[in-house]
């Protein structure tokens, strides 16, 4: 029988956040795959865990992933841990999970500390709906595309950022998204944990003067649906109903359906759009 892959959450700062279940599992499995063995050995030693360990990270995730799947297929149980938090969240563990499912290997997740969820609950912003962007892409074109998509995002937005890039990212967010409410969460679960509820404008000014320290999670307020609807309405009001109809008909949409779409866009009844077009003839 094949073994099982265990995704084990580890503390993001405070060692007391390690769960009893994760400690027991790490002691019982045949092998631990860790993102950075040098970092993880300190954690394992603290909890007196002596299970053999191997590296699994972004730069060996394909070749080492195949090896780990082979071990699982031979019946070994393997635990996957990351440097901090939940494996698979902004982490190469995502690839190993895909490979496990493709190989018919059972996967289970042992919940625990996770920086994005911790920051969200601490932020003072809406927690009902949220989107997680992790670290914004380094590549300029892709980064601009993501920022453009976030302009109309109505959910609370979570972004990871390193201290040496924080000011640049805050400036880009302010320029692209406008001034929004923001909570800067840093050093989560550690002695100097802070949650700085502010705005993008104020955060830019603050961190230009004060050197950022510690890994950060940025929690940004989403756009108001009412604001977006008002902006869309204003945009449609700039063109005539005939021009509006033409935009849809140029896409191959038949006239009847185009009338329905125009009415929806402009907050009108379909019959009123029809009557207006008849009157213009």
């Amino acid at each position: 029988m094949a073994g099982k892959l265990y995704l084990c959450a580890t503390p993001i700062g405070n060692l007391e956040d390690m769960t009893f279940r994760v400690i027991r599992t790490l002691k019982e499995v045949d092998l631990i795959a860790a993102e950075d063995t040098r970092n993880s050995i300190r954690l394992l030693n603290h909890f007196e865990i002596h299970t053999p360990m191997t590296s699994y990270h972004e730069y060996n995730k394909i070749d080492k992933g195949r090896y780990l799947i082979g071990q699982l297929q031979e019946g070994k149980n393997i635990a996957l841990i990351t440097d901090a938090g939940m494996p698979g969240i902004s982490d190469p563990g995502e690839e190993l999970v895909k490979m496990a499912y493709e190989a018919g290997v059972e996967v289970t997740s042992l919940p625990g500390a996770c920086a994005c969820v911790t920051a969200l609950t601490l932020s003072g912003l809406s927690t009902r709906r949220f989107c997680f962007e992790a670290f914004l892409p380094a590549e300029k074109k892709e980064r601009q595309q993501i920022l453009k998509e976030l302009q109309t995002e109505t959910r609370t937005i979570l972004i990871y950022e390193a201290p040496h890039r924080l000011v640049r990212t805050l400036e880009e967010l302010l320029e692209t998204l406008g001034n929004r409410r923001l909570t800067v969460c840093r050093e989560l679960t550690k002695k100097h944990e802070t949650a700085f509820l502010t705005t993008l404008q104020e955060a830019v000014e603050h961190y230009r003067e004060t050197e950022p320290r510690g890994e950060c999670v940025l929690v940004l307020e989403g756009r108001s649906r009412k604001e977006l609807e008002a902006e869309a309405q204003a945009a449609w009001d700039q063109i005539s109903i005939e021009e509006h109809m033409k935009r849809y008909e140029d896409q191959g949409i038949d006239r009847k359906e185009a009338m329905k779409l125009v009415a929806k866009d402009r907050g009108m009844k379909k019959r009123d759009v029809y009557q207006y077009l008849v009157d213009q003839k």
Side-chain angles (χ1 to χ4, degrees):
M1 290 180 61
K4 184 185 289 189
L5 176 63
Y6 295 84
L7 309 178
C8 295
T10 54
I12 58 176
N14 193 320
L15 291 179
E16 292 180 6
D17 291 334
M18 190 80 154
T19 70
F20 293 121
R21 185 182 175 202
V22 167
I23 293 171
R24 175 181 57 78
T25 299
L26 293 177
K27 289 181 176 181
E28 292 178 352
V29 294
D30 300 294
L31 181 65
I32 297 171
E35 185 176 10
D36 186 337
T37 55
R38 295 166 300 179
N39 178 66
S40 295
I41 193 64
R42 294 193 290 271
L43 178 74
L44 300 187
N45 286 341
H46 179 83
F47 290 104
E48 299 181 350
I49 298 167
H50 306 295
T51 306
M53 184 167 48
T54 188
S55 66
Y56 175 80
H57 49 72
E58 183 65 30
Y59 303 104
N60 72 353
K61 64 183 180 182
I62 301 302
D63 291 339
K64 182 54 74 70
R66 294 193 187 105
Y67 167 77
L68 294 173
I69 294 300
Q71 294 292 297
L72 287 159
Q73 289 176 321
E74 290 177 9
K76 291 187 177 179
N77 292 317
I78 297 177
L80 178 66
I81 60 175
T82 185
D83 280 349
M86 194 73 223
I89 302 294
S90 186
D91 171 83
E94 173 187 15
E95 190 66 36
L96 186 60
V97 172
K98 291 178 184 176
M99 295 171 74
Y101 276 108
E102 289 169 1
V105 171
E106 186 177 356
V107 181
T108 189
S109 182
L110 282 60
C114 181
C116 61
V117 174
T118 303
L120 177 66
T121 58
L122 190 61
S123 69
L125 301 178
S126 174
T127 62
R128 191 176 72 84
R129 299 171 62 249
F130 63 94
C131 70
F132 175 56
E133 283 295 335
F135 289 94
L136 292 173
E139 198 275 318
K140 184 177 180 181
K141 186 175 181 181
E142 186 181 2
R143 188 181 182 92
Q144 289 176 339
Q145 182 60 43
I146 294 294
L147 289 170
K148 184 177 179 181
E149 290 173 5
L150 292 178
Q151 287 179 326
T152 55
E153 178 58 68
T154 59
R155 296 170 294 178
T156 300
I157 303 163
L158 290 102
I159 296 171
Y160 287 164
E161 194 50 277
H164 64 281
R165 294 191 301 261
L166 181 63
V167 172
R168 174 199 167 198
T169 296
L170 289 171
E171 289 172 343
E172 287 180 317
L173 289 168
L174 177 61
E175 181 181 352
T176 310
L177 308 184
N179 200 17
R180 306 259 189 107
R181 285 204 300 164
L182 160 78
T183 302
V184 180
C185 299
R186 53 177 295 277
E187 296 292 273
L188 289 170
T189 77
K190 299 177 184 177
K191 182 179 179 180
H192 300 293
E193 171 185 282
T194 59
F196 180 26
L197 181 56
T198 180
T199 65
L200 275 170
Q201 181 68 55
E202 290 172 350
V204 167
E205 293 170 1
H206 173 77
Y207 286 111
R208 279 175 178 167
E209 299 295 327
T210 306
E211 182 183 1
R213 294 184 179 181
E215 298 294 322
C216 296
V217 184
L218 307 178
V219 189
L220 290 104
E221 186 174 49
R223 285 292 305 277
S224 160
R225 287 182 182 274
K226 288 183 178 179
E227 284 182 7
L228 289 173
E229 289 169 359
E231 286 179 8
Q233 183 65 53
W236 291 127
D237 288 344
Q238 299 301 310
I239 64 173
S240 69
I241 290 178
E242 292 93 338
E243 290 173 312
H244 200 156
M245 285 286 296
K246 187 174 185 301
R247 290 193 183 187
Y248 284 122
E249 290 177 320
D250 286 348
Q251 297 173 38
I253 297 172
D254 67 53
R255 192 164 182 78
K256 185 177 179 181
E257 182 63 23
M259 282 186 203
K260 189 185 298 184
L261 293 171
V262 168
K264 182 180 179 182
D265 289 342
R266 301 176 86 95
M268 299 172 64
K269 293 179 180 179
K270 182 183 172 183
R271 66 171 177 267
D272 292 336
V273 173
Y274 173 78
Q275 189 59 52
Y276 173 87
L277 294 171
V278 169
D279 293 344
Q280 295 302 305
K281 288 185 178 180

